[in-house]
Amino acid sequence: MTPVYRLRPMAVADLDSVIELEAALFPGDAWSQAMLHDELTASGRHYLVAVEGGDDARVIGYAGLRAVPPEGDVQTIAVGRPWWGRGVGTALLSELLAEAGRRGVREVFLEVRSDNPRAQDLYKRFGFVELGVRRGYYAGADAIVMRRSAPAAQDAAARAPHDPRADEERAP
């Protein structure tokens, strides 16, 4: 079955839609439009949106990478609730990690909410391992710090079958 969404680079014109999703999904931790704009336009960043349909499509998810080789960080991944479990989070993370590899990133780090097991499972499927905990990092939750090393992650991604139910709205 062909996905009814596609991925493309995030543009400044997408920020209103992204902020709308951000506020709906993370009312206590939402990024501001200025923060997202600064991230989108900063050096070493790669941001994507998942859109439903054609050229004037609705943004249904987004993700961002900070790449400073040999390290990088998944800055954000978010998928609108109606799209959970449909492979959007997996597609966004796959593309971020592919871009990290193209940019020479060998280790990717992230923080994920301690009360978000679906996101944690998604990351583990891609070869991320837990490193530690940042207490009180999010409103109402700790952050689990995770890392993915390129060779281990490539092996894990090759072995892991896709389970769309494990996709998460946002991780971190």
Side-chain angles (χ1 to χ4, degrees):
M1 182 167 121
T2 304
V4 292
Y5 63 87
R6 63 186 172 87
L7 304 182
R8 65 169 170 74
M10 185 187 293
V12 171
D14 296 316
L15 289 179
D16 287 340
S17 297
V18 170
I19 284 296
E20 190 176 304
L21 265 178
E22 180 82 5
L25 293 168
F26 315 109
D29 291 315
W31 289 13
S32 69
Q33 186 155 357
M35 290 169 64
L36 276 165
H37 183 272
D38 289 349
E39 273 294 308
L40 180 60
T41 58
S43 175
R45 303 306 199 267
H46 178 70
Y47 275 77
L48 303 166
V49 289
V51 294
E52 175 184 28
D55 291 335
D56 292 330
R58 182 173 57 101
V59 173
I60 60 168
Y62 56 94
L65 171 74
R66 181 183 73 76
V68 183
E71 295 180 353
D73 294 285
V74 173
Q75 299 290 82
T76 188
I77 295 180
V79 176
R81 284 184 182 93
W83 289 87
W84 289 3
R86 296 173 70 183
V88 179
T90 296
L92 287 164
L93 183 57
S94 293
E95 181 52 34
L96 285 188
L97 296 176
E99 182 65 23
R102 289 188 289 270
R103 293 183 182 210
V105 170
R106 302 293 297 159
E107 292 193 318
V108 179
F109 295 86
L110 59 83
E111 292 89 15
V112 59
R113 288 182 66 98
S114 58
D115 60 357
N116 193 340
R118 288 176 48 153
Q120 293 167 36
D121 290 345
L122 171 66
Y123 291 136
K124 288 175 184 173
R125 280 196 356 255
F126 278 86
F128 283 86
V129 296
E130 294 180 21
L131 295 179
V133 175
R134 291 188 176 155
R135 303 275 176 224
Y137 187 78
Y138 295 108
D142 296 332
I144 297 172
V145 179
M146 300 182 85
R147 177 185 68 209
R148 171 204 181 261
S149 297
Q154 290 167 353
D155 292 342
R159 288 191 314 266
H162 178 256
D163 178 3
R165 293 171 299 157
D167 294 335
E168 184 46 51
E169 75 281 8
R170 172 172 163 184

